Amino acid sequence: MNATQEQLKIKLEQALVAAFGDEYAGVDPILVSASNPKFGDYQANVALSLSKKLGQQPRAIASAIVEKLDVSEICEKPEIAGPGFINLKLKTAYLEAQLNTIQADTRLGVPTAKHPQREIVDFSSPNIAKEMHVGHLRSTIIGDSIARILEFRGHDVLRLNHVGDWGTQFGMLITYLREVSPEALTTANALDIGDLVSFYRQAKQRFDADEAFQETARQEVVRLQAGAADTLHAWKLLCEQSRQEFQVIYDLLDVKLTERGESFYNPLLPTVVENLEKSGLLVENQGAKCVFLDGFTNREGEPLPLIVQKSDGGYNYATTDLAALRYRIQKDEAKRIIYITDAGQANHFAQFFQVARKAGWIPDDVELVHVPFGLVLGEDGKKFKTRSGDTVRLRDLLDEAISRAHADVEVRLKAEEREETAEFIDKVAEVVGISAVKYADLSQNRTSNYIFSYDKMLDLKGNTAPYMLYAYARIQGISRKGEINFADLGDNAKVILQHETEFALAKYLLQLGEVISTVEEDLSPNRLCEYLYELSKRFNAFYDRNQGVQVLSAEEPLRTSRLVLCDLTARTLKLGLSLLGIQVLERM
Ligand code: ARG
């Protein structure tokens, strides 16, 4: 609900009480946006809902309310329509004043949260020595945007990278490392083994082919868990190598993360099991320690346990998540913990959340949220792969987006007969390419699968990053052409609304705060994308030669007023895009 809506709601409630008595305090006036601009901006449906209770005709009720309703500062005279709707139309002067208010505000009227709190966003979280795949890319992009939105609202956000840096695979990797690069283990502080993913493949081949190797690998796991110095050193080298590879991607995407991998919680795992034991939840099942779950059954319909300690004494992914959860609540004092992973892990989260709740580890004021997302598919509708059938390396994927954007820019510049420097073109290509990938992901309804298509995401028309960036650059073009600095328009540049397209744009500009608070609640960046897309369309209609208005060639004071609308649109786009992790271009 935006500020105007909130005010109107209060006024309607007061009118209800004045007309029918105290008993009607707290009755919902059922205020909604008008379905058709013909009927004004808002519609209150309370008269219809009260008809039965009051034993009166809705129209009579509506009249009684309207008689006591004083909204003269905000609205034109309320009108009663149809069976008893109360229609409210915002006053032009009110809208104009609101626009001038947000113009003077760097936050464009978006308030900070009433109760800022510590929030954790657990995202990206690839696994060491394994491929960082498109699923991790989605998590990285969505998580970063959610974190940015929460930060903008004033929350204290901890962006955690729960890297998979522990587990039995290290036995194999370290054994292989000792074989192929023994000197690295004693001398080096960095590895020179090339691409870690192919190293992983080779190690795996070796592991699968040789039983003696497997045995050594198992011993290596034991040594790692026991903290043997040389094994730990090898482990650190491998992690460092992966970290560097991940960092290339994070730098390209301009994403900041604090690494706190699974290994961090290692010392806390025995306590998790002890505590579950104490709370009487632990059951031994074929040597494994587990907790039985409500609402989860296996294929045979038998109750399903969550294993927290395997029969060989080892811990697993769920144990680590339980330990992390305790740590985040107790030490980080998080009030909301948000996990961003593919929908395939939904059960994992539901299960360990349930165990933590049963164990009484989750205080009432702490919220746990799993934010699932769908798969990335190729244009053939199947799992996203390279032509040769391999998993796509993220680095290649991003480079490809940039190089295609590069080609597009060159074609466009040629068509526009423009000469630009190589630096300019490179910069535009990088911003457009990366933004296109991010935006294509964020603009989807998170939970659906989406088809990865370079052609679609780089299209200048449609709900794409280039379309939005272009709208922004176009507005900056107006300021260059008119040789006006938007920042100099000043606080007394009064907004005047006359044309239909001005009203449509103006009302939309005032909705940013509402959209952001919805996104904050639903954790759905696609709503912000929709808003920015619609805003760009409204701007283009306003600025359109035929249906719109003149801007630079308009007479004062309309000229300045319209320039303010341009500036507000550009700033809204810039702010909105920044919350999606997308940078704007002044020219493109
Ligand atoms: N490393 C995991 C994977 O690649 C994702 C971790 C998500 N975070 C968590 N706390 N479980 O699938």
Side-chain angles (χ1 to χ4, degrees):
M1 181 162 294
N2 63 38
T4 308
Q5 238 172 322
E6 212 149 348
Q7 264 192 70
L8 287 174
K9 200 173 160 207
I10 295 169
K11 301 245 179 198
L12 278 158
E13 281 165 351
Q14 287 165 350
L16 263 163
V17 171
F20 302 109
D22 282 345
E23 201 191 317
Y24 290 84
V27 167
D28 182 359
I30 321 182
L31 187 69
V32 296
S33 295
S35 51
N36 185 331
K38 239 181 24 212
F39 303 133
D41 297 296
Y42 298 102
Q43 176 178 312
N45 296 338
V46 62
L48 286 91
S49 73
L50 283 183
S51 168
K52 218 169 167 184
K53 185 166 175 199
L54 285 166
Q56 293 179 27
Q57 291 296 328
R59 280 194 78 101
I61 301 172
S63 312
I65 297 172
V66 165
E67 208 167 291
K68 309 273 188 225
L69 182 63
D70 179 16
V71 287
S72 57
E73 265 171 44
I74 309 175
C75 297
E76 304 291 348
K77 199 170 162 314
E79 285 187 9
I80 300 169
F85 304 123
I86 302 170
N87 289 343
L88 300 165
K89 186 172 176 346
L90 295 173
K91 271 194 172 157
T92 304
Y94 173 77
L95 286 170
E96 291 167 345
Q98 294 283 94
L99 289 161
N100 277 125
T101 310
I102 65 167
Q103 195 219 348
D105 178 4
T106 49
R107 297 183 59 89
L108 296 170
V110 182
T112 47
K114 283 201 189 95
H115 307 285
Q117 59 182 16
R118 165 132 288 193
E119 308 214 1
I120 288 179
V121 187
D122 172 320
F123 70 106
S124 192
S125 308
N127 302 314
I128 298 287
K130 290 198 192 155
E131 192 96 56
M132 186 170 174
H133 54 68
V134 279
H136 296 123
L137 179 68
R138 276 208 95 173
S139 175
T140 308
I141 293 172
I142 296 172
D144 178 54
S145 172
I146 288 177
R148 283 173 191 261
I149 289 162
L150 299 177
E151 283 154 359
F152 180 65
R153 291 280 283 155
H155 295 294
D156 176 13
V157 180
L158 196 54
R159 301 158 154 257
L160 289 185
N161 201 357
H162 191 79
V163 176
D165 63 355
W166 200 251
T168 47
Q169 79 269 23
F170 282 97
M172 167 185 100
L173 291 167
I174 294 169
T175 308
Y176 190 66
L177 186 60
R178 283 193 200 282
E179 256 184 33
V180 296
S181 192
E183 69 292 344
L185 290 165
T186 45
T187 53
N189 290 313
L191 283 182
D192 189 16
I193 51 171
D195 169 17
L196 250 196
V197 174
S198 22
F199 180 84
Y200 186 93
R201 280 195 205 119
Q202 288 156 16
K204 181 87 172 70
Q205 265 171 17
R206 185 78 183 82
F207 182 88
D208 289 341
D210 183 347
E211 259 174 50
F213 185 97
Q214 289 169 21
E215 184 45 39
T216 321
R218 268 189 286 277
Q219 284 162 16
E220 206 64 82
V221 175
V222 177
R223 289 171 57 77
L224 181 64
Q225 271 157 358
D230 59 331
T231 303
L232 267 183
H233 180 63
W235 169 77
K236 278 196 190 126
L237 290 175
L238 289 166
C239 291
E240 186 49 35
Q241 173 94 3
S242 264
R243 197 170 288 133
Q244 282 170 18
E245 287 174 22
F246 298 154
Q247 197 54 46
V248 174
I249 306 289
Y250 298 143
D251 287 345
L252 260 177
L253 294 174
D254 185 25
V255 170
K256 306 257 177 313
L257 275 151
T258 301
E259 183 180 322
R260 205 196 269 165
E262 295 184 9
S263 64
F264 177 88
Y265 305 99
N266 215 26
L268 310 173
L269 301 178
T271 328
V272 167
V273 177
E274 272 162 38
N275 273 286
L276 289 174
E277 179 110 64
K278 268 189 222 142
S279 48
L281 290 170
L282 216 60
V283 180
E284 286 244 352
N285 194 352
Q286 296 163 14
K289 294 189 173 151
C290 36
V291 178
F292 276 91
L293 298 158
D294 301 330
F296 291 96
T297 48
N298 64 16
R299 283 205 201 110
E300 285 75 42
E302 293 152 358
L304 197 74
L306 180 75
I307 298 178
V308 292
Q309 190 168 17
K310 293 179 281 185
S311 52
D312 66 4
Y315 303 99
N316 56 28
Y317 187 45
T319 329
T320 306
D321 260 322
L322 283 167
L325 186 51
R326 282 163 60 88
Y327 189 91
R328 291 167 183 188
I329 293 172
Q330 291 167 0
K331 294 282 185 330
D332 296 323
E333 298 181 22
K335 294 295 172 220
R336 177 152 81 154
I337 309 177
I338 300 165
Y339 300 83
I340 322 260
T341 78
D342 61 285
Q345 298 198 34
N347 276 348
H348 163 72
F349 286 98
Q351 291 174 355
F352 86 81
F353 288 175
Q354 189 192 105
V355 169
R357 286 222 166 78
K358 279 191 172 168
W361 297 345
I362 316 297
D364 288 343
D365 62 344
V366 172
E367 200 188 339
L368 307 180
V369 197
H370 175 225
V371 173
F373 54 78
L375 302 173
V376 183
L377 305 175
E379 296 202 58
D380 54 3
K382 297 199 189 113
K383 219 173 154 197
F384 192 58
K385 286 263 157 78
T386 62
R387 282 219 183 93
S388 57
D390 293 330
T391 37
V392 181
R393 295 185 45 191
L394 291 191
R395 184 67 219 261
D396 297 342
L397 178 146
L398 296 173
D399 285 347
E400 172 88 19
I402 295 171
S403 80
R404 289 196 191 212
H406 204 278
D408 287 356
V409 181
E410 281 180 333
V411 170
R412 192 165 47 80
L413 290 180
K414 201 157 184 194
E416 293 173 6
E417 295 179 357
R418 277 167 57 191
E419 290 264 356
E420 298 286 355
T421 62
E423 259 166 297
F424 174 88
I425 301 175
D426 288 350
K427 173 76 184 161
V428 172
E430 181 169 336
V431 172
V432 170
I434 298 290
S435 316
V437 172
K438 289 189 178 183
Y439 192 88
D441 193 324
L442 293 168
S443 57
Q444 303 296 317
N445 182 337
R446 242 198 305 103
T447 46
S448 36
N449 296 344
Y450 89 96
I451 293 185
F452 190 96
S453 157
Y454 287 115
D455 288 338
K456 273 214 189 101
M457 68 179 71
L458 287 167
D459 196 344
L460 256 185
K461 293 183 262 356
N463 189 7
T464 63
Y467 179 80
M468 236 68 71
L469 293 175
Y470 196 72
Y472 179 85
R474 195 173 173 215
I475 301 175
Q476 300 311 320
I478 300 173
S479 102
R480 283 190 295 273
K481 191 168 162 216
E483 293 179 4
I484 353 159
N485 188 348
F486 283 144
D488 294 341
L489 284 173
D491 297 345
N492 41 15
K494 226 187 127 347
V495 174
I496 303 160
L497 300 174
Q498 288 181 348
H499 195 268
E500 200 186 319
T501 57
E502 287 177 300
F503 277 98
L505 178 62
K507 287 177 188 173
Y508 216 66
L509 284 167
L510 294 171
Q511 285 172 26
L512 178 67
E514 193 182 347
V515 171
I516 290 181
S517 76
T518 315
V519 177
E520 183 193 348
E521 227 170 88
D522 301 354
L523 305 174
S524 52
N526 64 306
R527 285 167 179 265
L528 180 55
C529 297
E530 274 160 31
Y531 172 80
L532 296 174
Y533 181 45
E534 181 63 31
L535 179 69
S536 310
K537 285 201 286 195
R538 288 184 188 218
F539 176 79
N540 287 339
F542 155 85
Y543 195 55
D544 185 273
R545 209 165 291 167
N546 303 313
Q547 11 155 5
V549 297
Q550 300 192 321
V551 177
L552 286 174
S553 51
E555 296 288 326
E556 287 297 358
L558 286 180
R559 183 175 185 266
T560 298
S561 163
R562 289 173 183 166
L563 287 169
V564 171
L565 289 179
C566 290
D567 175 41
L568 274 174
T569 306
R571 284 163 59 199
T572 306
L573 284 172
K574 184 175 181 175
L575 173 61
L577 289 170
S578 80
L579 298 178
L580 300 172
I582 293 174
Q583 196 188 330
V584 291
L585 292 160
E586 299 304 305
R587 284 195 319 124
M588 68 184 273

